[in-house]
Amino acid sequence: MKEWLTDYCLSKKGASPDYPFGPEPLVCKVGGKMFALISVDGKNDQVHISLKCDPIIAVNLREQHASVQPGYHLNKKHWNTVVVDGSLSNEDLRQMIDHSYDLVFRSLTKAAREAITALIR
């Protein structure tokens, strides 16, 4: 599952991998800003992905899914950490990744957004 999450995150326009904290976690960035952190819990080999989220949606997701928790070591208002335990479908995870990426991409300067868009053409 970690490979699938990594591949999907890095398939986003202008996404790049980074390891600012050592070999774990993988930090996925767009325009130099983080939109996902992917890690494996060493105790039980459980995959976790932390994603940026609109604060209202973040609370709703936490209320609806036990596997969605406030962002671990992140701003808990704007970040969720998802325990990838099979309780959420791949489509649910895709939508959460897309939402995180879109929030971060839209926060970039116009010039940065245009530079990323130009790379794709």
Side-chain angles (χ1 to χ4, degrees), residues 29-35 52 78-79 99-114 116:
K29 294 182 175 183
V30 61
K33 292 187 175 188
M34 176 174 71
F35 71 92
K52 191 159 189 160
H78 295 279
W79 288 85
H99 177 67
S100 179
Y101 173 88
D102 291 343
L103 285 173
V104 174
F105 184 80
R106 287 194 319 253
S107 76
L108 300 174
T109 65
K110 182 179 179 183
R113 289 191 312 269
E114 288 175 351
I116 291 166

Side-chain angles (χ1 to χ4, degrees), residues 10 16-21 25-29 34-38:
L10 296 178
S16 62
D18 194 10
Y19 294 91
F21 309 113
L26 164 64
V27 176
C28 299
K29 294 182 175 183
M34 176 174 71
F35 71 92
L37 272 103
I38 303 170

Side-chain angles (χ1 to χ4, degrees), residues 69-81:
Q69 303 161 359
Y72 182 70
H73 288 300
L74 297 162
N75 180 323
K76 291 168 185 7
K77 180 178 180 181
H78 295 279
W79 288 85
N80 280 335
T81 296

Side-chain angles (χ1 to χ4, degrees), residues 48-95:
H48 295 180
I49 184 167
S50 296
L51 299 162
K52 191 159 189 160
C53 192
D54 174 271
I56 293 171
I57 295 171
V59 171
N60 287 337
L61 287 169
R62 293 175 203 160
E63 290 172 353
Q64 294 173 18
H65 306 283
S67 62
V68 180
Q69 303 161 359
Y72 182 70
H73 288 300
L74 297 162
N75 180 323
K76 291 168 185 7
K77 180 178 180 181
H78 295 279
W79 288 85
N80 280 335
T81 296
V82 180
V83 178
V84 184
D85 60 5
S87 63
L88 292 170
S89 70
N90 286 359
E91 182 57 28
D92 290 332
L93 292 168
R94 258 191 224 96
Q95 289 176 5

Side-chain angles (χ1 to χ4, degrees), residues 6-18:
T6 300
D7 289 347
Y8 187 72
C9 286
L10 296 178
S11 74
K12 307 299 285 174
K13 290 185 282 186
S16 62
D18 194 10

